[in-house]
Amino acid sequence: MLLYGGYGLVILGLIISLWASWNVNATFKRYEKDYNSRGLTAAQVARQILDDNGLYQISVERVSGKLTDHYDPRANVIRLSDSVHDSISVAAIGVAAHECGHAVQHEVGYFPMKVRSAVIPVTQIGSKFWYIIFVLGLILGGSYMGETLQLVGILLFTAIVFFQLITLPVEFNASSRAMQTLESRYILAGDELKKSRKVLTAAALTYVAALLNSILQLLRLISIAKGNDRRR
């Protein structure tokens, strides 16, 4: 995204993203040795939450990596990473419950999740082509075609920003559902809940950071396009 000159916004966005990534990993590591008093694994907790919500058709599987956990609605599966699946830490249980929160959202038709799913095709196109289209517009300069391509590139990138924006309520709601379930089902209590919440909060901040980073990049693109127009 460093097209030319004035790297301030991009550098600021990079710093925010790096901090958020460091924070979630550091927070998870801080609590991955704090074990829950019931001795439940994250996989067991996930299975319990799914069954309690009547989601018997959704399986729980292991996936390689660290913090690569996700819910796949197409395959009806929650995949828990190596660092989470068999762990009995409050950190791992929080992550597993969060992914179950996404499964419940999908089951009840949570509106922001529907919106996010609807814009995925546009977002996928935008992520592949916005840069090429925008740079081609810069190459063509202040011509009608050049300005049009710059605008299309900006609009495609705006779709990415919108996707990240609608992702925020999806992620925060999933974490809220997770914490409520862990407390109401007496899976975690007291300090265990507090520590698990800190892990989920740190994870949520990565999405906030990604949005801020993209907004800064969008502002940079608009600034570049305007600067190019003034040089006509």
Side-chain angles (χ1 to χ4, degrees):
M1 292 70 172
L2 302 178
L3 295 175
Y4 58 81
Y7 301 154
L9 291 178
V10 177
I11 293 175
L12 177 59
L14 178 61
I15 291 173
I16 292 173
S17 296
L18 289 174
W19 174 84
S21 178
W22 169 84
N23 184 52
V24 68
N25 281 284
T27 304
F28 185 87
K29 185 176 181 179
R30 187 181 309 144
Y31 297 119
E32 68 177 345
K33 298 299 182 183
D34 289 0
Y35 304 134
N36 73 90
S37 58
R38 296 180 61 187
L40 296 170
T41 67
Q44 289 174 328
V45 169
R47 184 71 270 159
Q48 178 181 333
I49 294 174
L50 292 172
D51 291 348
D52 285 349
N53 285 276
L55 301 178
Y56 307 106
Q57 76 279 12
I58 299 178
S59 60
V60 180
E61 299 177 354
R62 182 193 297 272
V63 65
S64 60
K66 183 176 183 180
L67 297 182
T68 51
D69 315 86
H70 62 278
Y71 164 59
D72 185 349
R74 294 170 298 181
N76 272 337
V77 60
I78 287 178
R79 298 188 177 96
L80 301 179
S81 62
D82 290 330
S83 58
V84 169
H85 190 276
D86 292 328
S87 175
I88 62 174
S89 73
V90 296
I93 286 177
V95 171
H98 174 89
E99 298 308 328
C100 290
H102 284 312
V104 175
Q105 287 175 335
H106 188 262
E107 178 68 15
V108 302
Y110 183 58
F111 182 70
M113 174 172 272
K114 286 184 175 181
V115 175
R116 187 176 72 166
S117 298
V119 301
I120 284 178
V122 178
T123 304
Q124 290 175 332
I125 294 173
S127 63
K128 290 180 180 178
F129 298 112
W130 78 263
Y131 186 84
I132 296 173
I133 293 174
F134 187 78
V135 171
L136 183 58
L138 292 180
I139 293 173
L140 294 177
S143 66
Y144 174 78
M145 181 59 70
E147 291 181 349
T148 300
L149 289 175
Q150 290 174 49
L151 178 60
V152 171
I154 289 174
L155 290 176
L156 288 175
F157 192 81
T158 300
I160 298 173
V161 175
F162 177 75
F163 176 81
Q164 293 175 328
L165 177 63
I166 199 63
T167 291
L168 290 187
V170 174
E171 294 299 327
F172 278 100
N173 179 263
S175 290
S176 177
R177 290 173 187 268
M179 296 311 302
Q180 291 175 7
T181 300
L182 292 177
E183 184 173 14
S184 64
R185 299 291 193 277
Y186 304 103
I187 297 172
L188 299 180
D191 286 342
E192 293 178 345
L193 275 171
K194 292 179 182 179
K195 293 173 182 178
S196 186
R197 182 178 287 108
K198 287 181 179 179
V199 173
L200 294 186
T201 299
L205 287 177
T206 62
Y207 294 97
V208 175
L211 175 61
L212 290 176
N213 186 26
S214 292
I215 290 175
L216 291 173
Q217 291 188 48
L218 179 59
L219 292 175
R220 178 60 184 149
L221 294 180
I222 294 172
S223 175
I224 290 172
K226 287 183 177 180
N228 193 55
D229 183 60
R230 285 195 295 268
R231 284 189 290 273
R232 291 180 60 184

